[in-house]
Amino acid sequence: MPADQAWARLVNINDITDVVNISSDKFTIGRLPANDLSFPHNKLISQNHCYITREDEEIYLTDSSTNGTQVDGTKVKQRKAELKHGDEIHIVFKKNSVENNIAYIFEEVSKTLPSDSLEATQEYEPVQATELEESEPPRKQMKKGDGDTPAAADDTSAAVEQKSVADVRDKIGDTNEIDEALLCIICQELLHDCVRYAYLQSGSEE
């Protein structure tokens, strides 16, 4: 059955390479070889187990089996159920022996992206770790934005500190000069006291 004529397809859940195309408005599933999808040696499947039909814009699965069919988790037995794109169809469902289960995903071709488009949507540009590690802190980046390099910024800070020290020294004077001035004042006071004492002594002797 040519894939380009298919309007829908069944994709095996256990093997996604197992794809069955649906091109007719009625697609039959069962054990008899005459079915579109046949399981001749599986006795868990009825001879004419179920069939998929397309009616105008609606799609249905009709069960005609003994054990029933599951459509997206809901058991359908001897009745018709609406079938939608992406529904999971369990032709055989055994809760306690999952190895015997037979299940397919129903897909409408018109709602399925081509493989090339699907791969394109999964492409992305990974973040390079080296770029994150080598990025500079925000503080340095802001300085660069102002047109200064980090070295120039450091030189500017050192110049400001030196100027501040110079301003303080201008106001209070050099430390050595202060010490010398204090020493001179003390010496003058001592000399004054000595002269005065000598004067008083000479007066008392007279």
Side-chain angles (χ1 to χ4, degrees):
M1 189 177 301
D4 56 355
Q5 297 178 6
W7 61 270
R9 63 189 182 186
L10 297 174
V11 181
N12 193 321
I13 287 179
N14 298 318
D15 182 7
I16 60 173
T17 62
D18 179 13
V19 179
V20 182
N21 294 306
I22 302 174
S23 59
S24 60
D25 289 335
K26 183 177 181 179
F27 183 86
T28 60
I29 302 171
R31 195 168 73 245
L32 291 177
N35 286 292
D36 296 311
L37 180 57
S38 176
F39 301 89
H41 305 295
N42 194 327
K43 293 186 178 181
L44 295 173
I45 299 176
S46 299
Q47 293 183 355
N48 297 299
H49 195 90
C50 62
Y51 56 90
I52 297 170
T53 55
R54 180 174 62 172
E55 303 172 15
D56 296 328
E57 296 182 357
E58 302 295 329
I59 304 169
Y60 298 95
L61 182 141
T62 302
D63 177 80
S64 55
S65 68
T66 302
N67 297 322
T69 306
Q70 277 203 10
V71 177
D72 219 26
T74 301
K75 189 171 184 178
V76 178
K77 187 175 181 180
Q78 300 292 324
R79 64 184 179 90
K80 182 167 68 174
E82 186 177 1
L83 194 60
K84 296 180 180 179
H85 174 75
D87 279 351
E88 186 175 307
I89 302 171
H90 269 85
I91 301 168
V92 176
F93 179 76
K94 294 293 182 181
K95 187 176 181 180
N96 297 324
S97 56
V98 294
E99 66 277 3
N100 294 321
N101 290 347
I102 298 176
Y104 289 85
I105 297 294
F106 174 78
E107 294 181 348
E108 293 183 67
V109 173
S110 61
K111 296 181 180 179
T112 304
L113 289 173
S115 58
D116 294 340
S117 300
L118 183 60
E119 290 175 1
T121 58
Q122 295 175 346
E123 292 180 358
Y124 62 95
E125 192 70 24
V127 177
Q128 297 296 330
T130 54
E131 293 179 2
L132 296 177
E133 292 172 358
E134 293 176 359
S135 61
E136 296 187 33
R139 183 177 62 83
K140 290 188 178 181
Q141 289 179 351
M142 287 191 297
K143 287 185 178 181
K144 283 187 177 182
D146 296 335
D148 295 333
T149 61
D154 293 340
D155 292 342
T156 303
S157 300
V160 171
E161 292 178 359
Q162 291 176 359
K163 186 176 183 304
S164 300
V165 172
D167 290 342
V168 172
R169 285 183 175 177
D170 289 341
K171 291 180 180 180
I172 65 173
D174 188 74
T175 306
N176 293 333
E177 293 180 356
I178 294 174
D179 293 341
E180 291 177 1
L182 291 174
L183 182 59
C184 291
I185 292 171
I186 294 172
C187 291
Q188 289 177 0
E189 288 182 355
L190 289 174
L191 181 61
H192 180 269
D193 290 341
C194 290
V195 171
R196 187 165 181 246
Y197 177 76
Y199 174 78
L200 292 175
Q201 285 293 108
S202 62
S204 62
E205 290 179 356
E206 293 178 356

